[in-house]
Amino acid sequence: SRKLILMKKKIAIIGSGIAGLTVANLLKTNSDFEVMVYEKENTLSLDEGYGVQLSPNSISVLNKIGFGDIDNNNIFNPSKLNFYSNNNNKICDLDLKRFNVEPAKYTTLKRSTLIEFLKNKLFTNNIKFGKEVRRISRLKEKLLINFIDNTNDLVDFLIVSDGVFSKTKSVVENKIIRPRYKGSIAIRTVIKSPQEFNYESQNISLIMFSNAHIAIYPINKKNDLNLVCIIRQKFSQNFDIHSIIKKEILSQNSSLENLFKGSLKLWPIYVTKEPAKSIYDNLFYLGDAFYAFTPAMAQGASQSIEGASELFNLLSEGVEEIQNLYFKKRLEKTRLINSRSKLNYFSFHLSNPFMVQARNFILKKITKNEKFLDSYLGNIYQKI
């Protein structure tokens, strides 16, 4: 595409999650841009938090902004994904090391560790808190952002990355845009230095149940493990965590009771409808504001980072029709991952004994089939 004449461009980012902070850090490496992150909360949430998995595709992006310097004790590099049936029998394992491209390795860590790393890489004058968008309007070629506190910012480009419940999206598009309930919940906890543990604490364990699955993985070198349990469940205003676990998990395997002894948090799972471009050609949606995935492929955080990299590259190149190019590439990758996430989600939750037996047999075959792994996972884990 034909290059445009570049003067210093002003870019605003709404939302300070993984997507927003990653693209801010990337943009900060290019002196052609002036960057500001706006966050509606008064602080960044750096609580203990739950874990995230980052495949090599996203680590290669983070390495460009100094991720290699992070304290090694606060991250982990699992080498295998172990598949288990609901009675703790190991079915097979998948070698994760085969997707590593030095120095980008499959990495697990606390979400709060990643957010803190990204925040610390930004200057404090690159982020403003307590800023909620009231209105967006076009002013000649630029976008005027009006905040609820009656301040304004006039920018060349606007990046909206305020999550699956993005209020800014409804403001921008001038219509109510809501995600839909997926029919599942996520229960999360951190297991501190487990004494009794039936799985490999140095690797990722995926335990498959009827209508549920559990993923457990290390999030640092201090023996802390993240547990996330996805259970199919009708929506309720008042979910009872313990009765759900007892009914849906412990009824299938009572020996797992110890996994749920700690502090438990429950989230209803929402996904967005088909992604759409903004009415403004200099406005881009990023991360969960672009699309929120079914949680069965652990690609949410990685795709936020990968999308940030794609957008940064297009903005840096100064090409025409940036929105169309960005949207086309993101949509293609989103559809690819979404179809595989849905297939995983279906196969992880099988209840018919014959189908479970067939699934386990197929899993044993495909986890050792290099051609299949390269086409099913390699072009997602490695391709940027």
Side-chain angles (χ1 to χ4, degrees), residues 146-160:
N146 174 243
F147 295 97
I148 281 175
D149 62 4
N150 286 324
T151 58
N152 300 290
D153 196 5
L154 186 64
V155 299
D156 295 285
F157 297 103
L158 177 59
I159 300 170
V160 175

Side-chain angles (χ1 to χ4, degrees), residues 85-258:
S85 58
N86 62 3
N87 60 0
N88 298 349
N89 284 338
K90 184 174 173 179
I91 301 162
C92 58
D93 59 64
L94 169 65
D95 177 19
L96 293 172
K97 297 193 302 297
R98 74 189 312 281
F99 302 109
N100 292 344
V101 183
E102 290 292 341
K105 297 179 180 178
Y106 201 102
T107 302
T108 54
L109 70 168
K110 288 181 183 175
R111 183 182 182 277
S112 55
T113 301
L114 178 57
I115 291 286
E116 190 159 22
F117 160 77
L118 292 168
K119 181 203 74 169
N120 290 344
K121 288 287 175 181
L122 282 178
F123 297 122
T124 50
N125 60 355
N126 284 126
I127 185 164
K128 289 184 179 176
F129 294 99
K131 307 294 277 188
E132 188 171 350
V133 176
R134 173 188 281 150
R135 191 165 44 251
I136 305 284
S137 51
R138 195 194 298 276
L139 198 60
K140 295 185 179 176
E141 298 292 308
K142 304 195 177 197
L143 292 175
L144 179 65
I145 312 166
N146 174 243
F147 295 97
I148 281 175
D149 62 4
N150 286 324
T151 58
N152 300 290
D153 196 5
L154 186 64
V155 299
D156 295 285
F157 297 103
L158 177 59
I159 300 170
V160 175
S161 57
D162 55 347
V164 65
F165 292 104
S166 176
K167 283 186 179 176
T168 310
K169 206 170 186 176
S170 295
V171 170
V172 169
E173 309 303 332
N174 202 23
K175 59 183 178 182
I176 301 297
I177 299 173
R178 290 196 184 99
R180 62 183 177 82
Y181 178 57
K182 176 64 185 171
S184 298
I185 57 166
I187 296 172
R188 297 181 182 271
T189 189
V190 173
I191 305 168
K192 298 277 190 182
S193 306
Q195 301 303 311
E196 297 175 36
F197 191 64
N198 295 320
Y199 309 100
E200 294 176 22
S201 60
Q202 303 292 298
N203 287 305
I204 302 171
S205 300
L206 180 73
I207 311 141
M208 296 175 287
F209 300 83
S210 170
N211 293 318
H213 73 274
I214 294 175
I216 308 171
Y217 53 89
I219 43 177
N220 52 36
K221 304 231 174 25
K222 304 163 192 169
N223 296 322
D224 293 341
L225 301 171
N226 180 78
L227 178 147
V228 57
C229 177
I230 308 295
I231 303 174
R232 292 179 188 257
Q233 203 71 194
K234 286 182 180 176
F235 187 81
S236 164
Q237 293 293 340
N238 188 25
F239 287 111
D240 184 331
I241 300 183
H242 293 285
S243 66
I244 291 171
I245 291 168
K246 190 174 180 180
K247 182 184 174 189
E248 304 296 338
I249 302 295
L250 300 183
S251 65
Q252 298 183 58
N253 187 340
S254 59
S255 72
L256 300 181
E257 193 171 358
N258 281 338

